[in-house]
């Protein structure tokens, strides 16, 4: 299982900066997107966001 520490260490610095500049966590909370347990909504959102772009990269190879 991937821990929170390992996951955030794998993010490129451009993605980290973009998410912090756009205040994605704030907008998720404002939209009332919550979870009861497990990883935070922001972590799940980042994972899905990265998977979409990784898939597109693999299509062009």
């Amino acid at each position: 299982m991937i821990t929170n520490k390992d996951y955030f260490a794998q993010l490129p610095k451009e993605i980290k900066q973009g998410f912090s500049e756009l205040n994605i966590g704030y907008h998720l909370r404002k939209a009332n997107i919550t979870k009861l347990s497990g990883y935070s909504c922001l972590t799940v959102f980042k994972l899905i966001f990265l998977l979409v772009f990784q898939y597109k990269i693999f299509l062009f190879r």
Side-chain angles (χ1 to χ4, degrees):
M1 181 180 264
I2 299 174
T3 63
N4 276 341
K5 253 185 210 175
D6 293 337
Y7 173 72
F8 287 115
Q10 296 171 4
L11 284 176
K13 67 178 180 176
E14 294 84 7
I15 299 292
K16 287 181 189 178
Q17 287 176 327
F19 273 86
S20 65
E21 285 180 24
L22 295 173
N23 296 325
I24 300 296
Y26 169 76
H27 293 294
L28 288 173
R29 283 190 305 277
K30 188 150 176 131
N32 233 5
I33 298 173
T34 58
K35 288 183 63 211
L36 295 177
S37 63
Y39 291 102
S40 69
C41 292
L42 182 59
T43 303
V44 173
F45 185 81
K46 284 181 183 179
L47 178 64
I48 293 170
F49 183 82
L50 289 175
L51 285 175
V52 167
F53 285 103
Q54 284 180 349
Y55 180 70
K56 287 187 184 242
I57 289 171
F58 290 132
L59 284 177
F60 292 116
R61 285 186 181 184

